[in-house]
């Protein structure tokens, strides 16, 4: 209660913040035409049409979705959709404030995500196995059914649920190894029991993403604002996103000024693969279709490690990495060198600097001052009294804990006051010092 009162003193009234939010959104839409905002009370109001200049068109064709709880005076959940550009930068593309994670709220969020942000066919959605997400993605009119879109499960959540029934670290390790397998033979070797789910056949849609870690990263960044008023939370999220676009845009522009064609992430991967490519012996077995056989040996050339088929025409390799990551593996690079071909045409467009720069080319304009906000004639927005947290007692945690929440036993415990290891808050040498004398 004391924390809620302190937040109210700094940021304003909790209840009035709900009704302030629609006017602030109108101010943002006036500042940045093309901004999509949907306010659903009763009846539903839908915002502007889809803007073809939005950043997601230049990202990898996948999106990671997740929800995180709010901890202010009123409960609720912040739903987020996260993408990634060709330089492995995390990019938030959509947010929604809802009453909780259920089928209705996920349907609301995913339907507008599909309409306004991710209309591309063949999109992959990575999430946990929440029943609300499952119901929303399987809705006949939602636009998320194959072949319009596909779903992939976060392997960390699958492994956490798996170990509840099948105990032991070896079982978990086999499951994770099977999920990360790039070929069907390797998958069958590690865990044949999972064939009914068939997680291997993603046909390269994952771009190497096996978890919802990019969503969890954004959740951790937003942890500090989840205690704020609803309007202050939205303002802080908008401000941090604008700062991200400015910073990453300058980095991409600076890289383009050097004359590079590809992202730093791809250049590092190609350089590492080129070092490995020296251990391959290449022979052509179909020159017309650019198909090769590649024999891998040890660095000394004394032992053979296997033979692979590589097709530059169809951009595939028996190792599975070429088609999974969408840029040449070491074996494909060896084939390019053997035929005196450049490897650049075999790289997916998303890794080009022009695509990375296209993500951040849209500038953010600071919202206009409150006195210039347009008038709002819509319904008065008030918080749901049923979402009000208990007025007395310590709030109960509703989080369902799994082994992902367990602390690392090898990680040293730190003091809650000075964040240094080796002691606790009670025995901290900084405790009791006057303010401003900590560094003396």
């Amino acid at each position: 209660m004391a924390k809620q009162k302190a937040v109210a003193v700094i940021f304003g009234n909790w209840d009035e913040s709900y009704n302030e939010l629609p006017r602030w959104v109108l101010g943002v839409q006036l500042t940045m035409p093309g901004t999509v905002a949907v306010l659903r009370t009763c009846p539903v109001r839908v915002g502007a049409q889809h803007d073809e200049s939005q950043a997601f068109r230049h990202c990898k064709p996948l999106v990671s979705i997740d929800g995180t709880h709010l901890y202010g005076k009123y409960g609720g959940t912040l739903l987020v959709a996260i993408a990634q550009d060709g330089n492995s930068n995390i990019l938030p593309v959509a947010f929604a404030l809802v009453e909780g994670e259920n089928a209705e709220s996920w349907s609301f969020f995913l339907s507008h995500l599909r309409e306004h942000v991710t209309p591309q066919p063949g999109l992959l959605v990575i999430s946990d196995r929440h029943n609300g997400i499952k119901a929303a993605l399987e809705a006949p009119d939602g636009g998320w059914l194959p072949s319009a879109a596909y779903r992939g499960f976060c392997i960390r959540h699958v492994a956490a649920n798996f170990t509840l029934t099948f105990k032991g670290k070896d079982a978990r390790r086999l499951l994770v190894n099977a999920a990360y397998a790039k070929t069907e033979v390797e998958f069958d070797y590690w865990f044949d029991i999972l064939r009914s789910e068939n997680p291997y056949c993603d046909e390269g849609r994952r771009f190497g993403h096996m978890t919802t870690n990019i969503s969890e990263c954004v959740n951790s960044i937003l942890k500090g604002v989840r205690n704020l008023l609803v309007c202050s939370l939205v303002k802080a999220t908008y401000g941090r996103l604008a700062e991200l676009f400015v910073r990453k845009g300058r980095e991409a522009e600076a890289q383009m000024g050097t004359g590079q064609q590809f992202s730093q992430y791809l250049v590092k991967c190609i350089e590492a693969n080129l070092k490995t490519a020296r251990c391959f012996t290449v022979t052509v077995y179909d020159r017309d279709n650019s198909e090769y056989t590649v024999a891998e040996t040890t660095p000394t050339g004394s032992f053979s490690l296997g033979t692979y088929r590589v097709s530059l025409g169809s951009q595939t390799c028996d190792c599975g990495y070429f088609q999974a990551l969408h840029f040449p593996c070491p074996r494909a690079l060896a084939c390019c060198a053997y035929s005196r071909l450049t490897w650049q045409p075999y790289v997916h467009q998303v890794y080009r600097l022009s695509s990375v720069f296209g993500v951040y080319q849209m500038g953010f304009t600071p919202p206009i001052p409150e006195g210039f906000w347009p008038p709002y004639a819509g319904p008065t927005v008030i918080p749901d009294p049923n979402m009000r947290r208990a007025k007395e007692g310590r709030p109960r945690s509703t989080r369902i804990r799994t082994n992902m929440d367990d602390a690392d036993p090898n990680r040293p415990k730190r003091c809650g006051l000075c964040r240094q290891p080796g002691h606790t808050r009670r025995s901290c040498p900084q405790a009791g010092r006057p303010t401003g004398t900590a560094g003396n």
Side-chain angles (χ1 to χ4, degrees):
M1 293 295 292
K3 181 173 66 175
Q4 292 178 8
K5 291 181 179 179
V7 171
V9 170
I10 300 174
F11 295 97
N13 187 276
W14 284 90
D15 296 353
E16 293 177 358
S17 178
Y18 279 84
N19 199 41
E20 179 186 357
L21 181 60
R23 284 196 63 216
W24 183 84
V25 170
L26 288 177
V28 172
Q29 290 178 317
L30 183 64
T31 303
M32 295 187 60
T35 301
V36 176
V38 179
L39 173 64
R40 179 175 177 176
T41 53
C42 186
V44 178
R45 297 178 63 247
V46 181
Q49 297 180 351
H50 172 64
D51 182 9
E52 291 295 334
S53 66
Q54 48 89 15
F56 185 76
R57 293 190 303 115
H58 307 283
C59 293
K60 297 176 182 177
L62 61 88
V63 61
S64 174
I65 59 175
D66 197 13
T68 180
H69 296 287
L70 305 183
Y71 298 119
K73 180 178 181 179
Y74 293 94
T77 302
L78 178 65
L79 306 183
V80 295
I82 311 298
Q84 190 182 55
D85 65 18
N87 206 22
S88 294
N89 294 314
I90 296 174
L91 177 70
V93 294
F95 302 88
L97 284 167
V98 296
E99 70 277 7
E101 288 195 77
N102 51 50
E104 183 180 4
S105 59
W106 274 116
S107 297
F108 166 78
F109 179 56
L110 291 175
S111 62
H112 289 289
L113 176 69
R114 190 64 166 159
E115 178 183 357
H116 298 292
V117 183
T118 62
Q120 297 92 327
L123 184 73
L124 178 71
V125 181
I126 303 178
S127 69
D128 57 26
R129 299 177 66 94
H130 194 281
N131 289 332
I133 300 177
K134 179 176 183 293
L137 294 178
E138 293 179 354
D141 56 348
W144 295 102
L145 294 176
S147 58
Y150 300 87
R151 184 184 184 187
F153 295 117
C154 171
I155 188 57
R156 291 189 63 193
H157 288 87
V158 174
N161 294 336
F162 180 82
T163 52
L164 294 178
T165 303
F166 301 94
K167 304 298 182 181
K169 294 183 178 180
D170 289 339
R172 178 187 176 92
R173 178 179 59 84
L174 290 173
L175 172 69
V176 174
N177 288 343
Y180 275 89
K182 296 296 186 296
T183 64
E184 191 169 3
V185 174
E186 184 183 1
F187 168 76
D188 291 338
Y189 171 81
W190 286 112
F191 218 28
D192 190 68
I193 195 173
L194 293 180
R195 187 176 298 278
S196 59
E197 289 287 344
N198 201 10
Y200 156 72
C201 295
D202 65 88
E203 299 180 356
R205 298 187 184 93
R206 282 184 179 265
F207 278 76
H209 291 264
M210 301 302 300
T211 67
T212 56
N213 283 354
I214 57 176
S215 297
E216 299 296 343
C217 289
V218 175
N219 287 345
S220 64
I221 293 174
L222 297 175
K223 188 174 182 179
V225 302
R226 286 185 285 169
N227 299 286
L228 301 182
L229 286 66
V230 60
C231 194
S232 300
L233 185 152
V234 176
K235 290 179 180 179
T237 304
Y238 179 87
R240 294 184 181 185
L241 188 60
E243 180 184 356
L244 172 69
F245 265 69
V246 172
R247 176 162 46 88
K248 293 298 180 182
R250 289 175 177 172
E251 293 176 3
E253 188 175 10
Q255 293 176 29
M256 291 190 68
T258 62
Q260 298 182 23
Q261 292 183 341
F262 298 97
S263 66
Q264 290 182 340
Y265 167 77
L266 178 75
V267 171
K268 291 180 180 179
C269 292
I270 293 295
E271 290 176 349
N273 289 348
L274 284 172
K275 294 180 181 178
T276 312
R278 302 170 184 172
C279 302
F280 299 114
T281 302
V282 182
T283 57
V284 179
Y285 73 91
D286 190 341
R287 187 176 301 275
D288 294 335
N289 296 317
S290 298
E291 296 183 350
Y292 307 80
T293 57
V294 181
E296 183 177 4
T297 61
T298 58
T300 59
S302 55
F303 296 100
S304 174
L305 301 177
T307 302
Y308 299 83
R309 297 169 299 172
V310 177
S311 174
L312 294 180
S314 60
Q315 301 185 19
T316 59
C317 177
D318 283 348
C319 71
Y321 280 82
F322 197 176
Q323 51 268 44
L325 302 180
H326 301 280
F327 59 79
C329 62
R331 299 155 190 84
L333 291 175
C335 294
C336 290
Y338 178 87
S339 299
R340 293 182 175 86
L341 298 173
T342 59
W343 52 264
Q344 286 85 348
Y346 304 106
V347 176
H348 195 283
Q349 182 68 28
V350 73
Y351 294 110
R352 298 184 180 273
L353 266 181
S354 57
S355 296
V356 176
F357 181 73
V359 174
Y360 308 101
Q361 65 182 353
M362 180 189 69
F364 271 76
T365 305
I368 59 178
E370 181 177 356
F372 297 95
W373 290 356
Y376 171 68
T380 301
V381 181
I382 61 174
D384 185 353
N386 296 323
M387 295 175 61
R388 172 70 185 271
R389 294 189 178 273
K391 297 182 179 180
E392 298 179 356
R394 185 177 182 86
R396 292 186 58 186
S397 174
T398 58
R399 180 180 180 89
I400 302 176
R401 298 185 64 85
T402 67
N403 55 3
M404 292 189 295
D405 299 305
D406 296 336
D408 185 358
N410 299 322
R411 185 177 180 181
K413 294 184 178 180
R414 297 180 179 272
C415 170
L417 187 62
C418 68
R419 306 305 300 166
Q420 297 299 317
H423 61 271
T424 63
R425 180 188 290 266
R426 288 187 176 182
S427 58
C428 179
Q430 306 291 349
R433 288 191 178 184
T435 303
T437 62
N440 297 332

